[in-house]
Amino acid sequence: MNSIARFVSFSFVMTATKSKVKPKIDVSWLQVLKEEFEMPYMKDLQNFLRDEVKKGYTIFPPQELIFNAMCQTPFDDVTVVIMGQDPYHGKGQAHGMSFSVQKGVPPPPSLQNIYKEMVQDVHIQFPKHGCLLEWAQQGVLLLNATLTVREGEPRSHYGKGWERFTDTIIRKLADRWDPIVFVLWGKSAQEKCTHILKEENAAQHLILTSAHPSPYSANQGFFGSHHFSKINQFLKKNGKKMIDWQIH
């Protein structure tokens, strides 16, 4: 894995003014998605985000972190995809990686349940914070279906174009020659991905599904799913480096 992502700034901005703070993305992803960024729907999405800011809405994550998952995990390094829904909508939580929060922010309930299952499954210590950067830097792409959200309004940016963009990301990964693990927790992630991953080019990948780790559903199949150990078993079988799940 690359220890230092090759970040580049580019022109996808959501502020109405000429902000010096621009989103960053690893150059490998910019190459893979170059044509996608030029599609009309992405221009429409950018205009939508600018209008949201003009109307006074606070948007999460901060502009420079929208594509953070693709900063921390270069395209060729992805061995695992953990699919989320949309970013956390509370102040200071979202930083562009599914389920992850920045250090100093209390881990939300779903992440706490992820930790509980992980500790039980692979017998490591319960993490002291909720930042999953160490996973991302080992090849775990922490991808949300939508990459932005209004403060305090979950799912507020659904249907604006992000889903088409992240569908393309999944498809590009499924097209790779080497095996990848796709982790789909909850109905939303499963509905989004299974129509893409049923294609012939996905036959070599491992698709893990269970209930969502939310407190409302974790007891319906997420707990006891043993996904963390299953991921490492698959990676080892295919000659790939296993994930050290311990968060330090």
Side-chain angles (χ1 to χ4, degrees):
M1 302 299 171
N2 294 339
S3 59
I4 301 176
R6 302 152 296 178
F7 301 161
V8 291
S9 298
F10 65 114
S11 59
F12 187 97
V13 293
M14 65 186 186
T15 52
T17 59
K18 294 182 179 180
S19 173
K20 293 182 179 180
V21 179
K22 294 182 179 181
K24 292 182 175 62
I25 193 169
D26 185 85
V27 66
S28 64
W29 282 106
L30 194 57
Q31 292 169 349
V32 168
L33 299 169
K34 184 179 184 298
E35 292 183 1
E36 204 69 18
F37 280 115
E38 295 172 353
M39 296 287 284
Y41 83 90
M42 287 298 285
K43 304 296 183 184
D44 293 340
L45 174 58
Q46 189 171 346
N47 289 333
F48 165 75
L49 293 172
R50 286 173 172 166
D51 287 343
E52 290 280 273
V53 174
K54 286 181 181 178
K55 292 174 183 176
Y57 292 113
T58 299
I59 307 302
F60 296 134
Q63 179 169 273
E64 65 272 20
L65 295 176
I66 293 175
F67 302 101
N68 194 29
M70 286 163 281
C71 276
Q72 306 304 333
T73 314
F75 177 77
D76 292 332
D77 288 355
V78 176
T79 57
V80 180
V81 179
I82 297 181
M83 197 72 221
Q85 297 178 12
D86 59 349
Y88 293 121
H89 54 85
K91 186 175 182 179
Q93 291 182 306
H95 66 131
M97 299 190 297
S98 62
F99 296 104
S100 181
V101 292
Q102 301 195 64
K103 288 184 178 180
V105 177
S110 291
L111 181 54
Q112 292 185 38
N113 284 339
I114 289 170
Y115 283 169
K116 289 176 184 177
E117 171 62 19
M118 177 184 70
V119 169
Q120 182 68 27
D121 183 16
V122 294
H123 309 294
I124 56 179
Q125 294 184 342
F126 200 97
K128 296 181 180 180
H129 61 81
C131 181
L132 304 181
L133 181 61
E134 290 176 73
W135 293 2
Q137 292 177 339
Q138 294 180 77
V140 181
L141 181 66
L142 298 165
L143 180 67
N144 280 314
T146 59
L147 302 190
T148 58
V149 69
R150 285 182 191 170
E151 181 178 13
E153 297 186 44
R155 296 180 63 91
S156 51
H157 286 182
Y158 269 64
K160 304 300 181 181
W162 281 130
E163 296 91 337
R164 180 173 170 181
F165 179 74
T166 51
D167 278 356
T168 299
I169 291 172
I170 296 163
R171 190 170 290 108
K172 293 287 187 182
L173 290 168
D175 284 344
R176 275 182 22 186
W177 64 270
D178 57 327
I180 296 174
V181 185
F182 292 88
V183 183
L184 312 179
W185 291 329
K187 184 178 179 181
S188 177
Q190 291 159 24
E191 289 179 347
K192 176 178 179 63
C193 296
T194 50
H195 72 286
I196 299 172
L197 298 174
K198 284 179 180 177
E199 298 174 1
E200 290 182 5
N201 59 4
Q204 76 270 28
H205 304 308
L206 175 64
I207 302 170
L208 297 175
T209 63
S210 76
H212 194 274
S214 161
Y216 300 104
S217 57
N219 286 314
Q220 299 173 22
F222 174 75
F223 289 137
S225 60
H226 301 289
H227 281 178
F228 299 94
S229 58
K230 288 177 180 177
I231 290 168
N232 275 346
Q233 289 167 8
F234 181 81
L235 294 178
K236 183 178 180 180
K237 178 182 176 181
N238 285 278
K240 293 177 175 286
K241 187 175 181 180
M242 295 188 292
I243 306 299
D244 178 3
W245 296 110
Q246 182 68 66
I247 300 293
H248 299 92

